[in-house]
C-alpha cells in the first residue's frame, strides 16, 4: 500500500520532469498523509490554436478518492489506494481508469515492516538515484449536495518488487518517464492498453532506509523523519492499542 509519501523536489524540478508549466510554489513536504492535498498531473488539456503551452496541468486534490456517484462519502472507506489489478473493473474506479488517469509526483514513500508483537519498523523508500518520480494515480471530482465540487485522488498500487517484499507485499505503481505520455493519454489509450505499465519497477530501483518512528505522527513533518535509524534501537514491544501506528 501507500499511506505516506514525500515530495521535496522544487516546483521547477516538477515542471521539467512532467512537462507541465506554472506549478505553484510549494514548500518541501516530508510526511504527506491521507486527506491532505496532494499534487497531481493530468493530461488532455485543450490548447488554443498556435499555443505552445503543454497539454498537461498540475492541480491539487484531496488524497482520498470519492466516486462521482457517491451520495455520502461518510458511508465509504477512505480510498487512498486503488489496486491496479482490479481498478478497471471496480465500480469506484472504473470511470477514472478510463477517463481520468493522473500522475502523483513524489520523491519517495514510507512503508512499515510488521514482525510479531514488536512495533512496526518504518522505512523511507526512495529512488536509488534520487530525483522526482511519478506514482500512477486516479482523480475524480465529487459534487456536494450543495453544489460545491471537491477534486479527489488515489494512488494505484501493485505487488512489491522482490527486494521490497519483505517489508510489505504492496507498493505504489511507478510510471517511468518514457511512459508518461501514454499513461496520461486517456483519449487514445483505454485501460487495457496501459495495463503493462502497472508492474512493479525492477529490483534495485528503490532503496529502503530504516527510519525512526517519528514518521508515525502526521505532526512530525520535517526532514529529520528521513534520517537513518538503527532498527535494534527502535525495537519496542507493543503492549496495547494506546500507541498504535497511524497507518492507513
Amino acid at each position: 500500500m501507500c499511506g505516506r509519501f514525500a515530495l521535496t523536489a522544487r516546483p521547477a524540478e516538477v515542471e521539467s520532469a512532467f512537462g507541465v508549466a506554472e506549478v505553484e510554489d510549494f514548500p518541501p513536504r516530508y510526511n504527506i498523509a491521507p486527506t491532505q492535498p496532494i499534487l497531481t498531473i493530468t493530461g488532455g488539456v485543450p490548447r488554443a490554436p498556435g499555443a505552445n503551452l503543454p497539454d498537461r496541468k498540475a492541480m491539487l486534490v484531496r488524497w482520498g478518492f470519492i466516486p462521482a456517484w457517491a451520495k455520502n462519502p461518510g458511508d465509504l472507506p477512505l480510498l487512498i489506494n486503488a489496486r491496479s489489478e482490479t481498478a478497471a473493473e471496480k465500480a469506484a474506479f472504473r470511470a477514472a481508469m478510463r477517463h481520468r488517469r493522473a500522475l502523483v509526483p513524489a520523491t519517495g514513500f514510507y512503508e512499515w515492516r510488521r514482525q510479531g508483537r514488536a512495533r512496526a519498523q518504518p522505512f523511507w523508500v526512495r529512488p536509488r538515484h534520487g530525483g522526482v518520480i511519478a506514482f500512477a494515480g486516479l482523480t475524480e471530482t465529487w459534487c456536494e449536495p450543495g453544489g460545491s465540487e471537491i477534486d479527489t485522488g488515489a494512488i494505484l498500487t501493485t505487488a512489491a518488487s522482490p527486494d521490497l517484499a519483505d517489508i510489505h507485499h504492496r507498493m505504489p505503481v511507478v510510471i517511468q518517464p518514457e511512459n508518461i505520455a501514454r499513461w496520461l493519454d486517456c483519449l487514445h489509450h483505454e485501460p487495457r492498453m496501459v495495463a503493462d505499465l502497472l508492474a512493479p519497477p525492477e529490483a534495485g530501483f528503490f532503496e529502503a532506509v530504516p527510519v525512526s518512528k517519528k514518521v508515525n505522527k502526521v505532526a512530525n513533518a520535517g526532514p529529520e523523519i528521513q534520517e537513518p535509524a538503527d532498527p535494534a534501537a527502535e525495537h519496542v514491544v507493543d503492549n496495547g492499542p494506546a500507541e498504535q501506528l497511524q497507518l492507513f
Side-chain angles (χ1 to χ4, degrees), residues 4 8 11 31 38 44 72 75 110 155 185 194-195 231 234-235 241 248:
R4 300 281 181 82
T8 58
N31 197 3
I38 60 173
N72 180 11
D75 295 336
Y110 300 95
I155 293 173
D185 185 359
V194 294
E234 290 282 309
H235 182 85
F248 300 88

Side-chain angles (χ1 to χ4, degrees), residues 76-164:
L76 299 173
L78 185 60
L79 301 175
I80 63 170
N81 293 155
R83 291 179 66 91
S84 61
E85 299 91 338
T86 59
E89 286 77 45
K90 292 289 186 181
F93 304 114
R94 184 166 54 236
M97 274 292 289
R98 181 64 185 89
H99 302 289
R100 288 174 290 280
R101 297 193 297 267
L103 300 170
V104 180
T107 45
F109 66 100
Y110 300 95
E111 195 50 85
W112 283 257
R113 175 194 284 156
R114 296 183 180 276
Q115 292 181 323
R117 296 182 62 234
R119 291 280 299 276
Q121 171 62 49
F123 287 82
W124 165 232
V125 185
R126 63 191 181 193
R128 190 172 298 274
H129 299 296
V132 60
I133 56 175
F135 293 155
L138 301 173
T139 63
E140 186 64 271
T141 300
W142 182 73
C143 295
E144 293 182 315
S148 61
E149 297 181 342
I150 302 175
D151 295 318
T152 70
I155 293 173
L156 286 158
T157 66
T158 186
S161 55
D163 53 334
L164 297 180

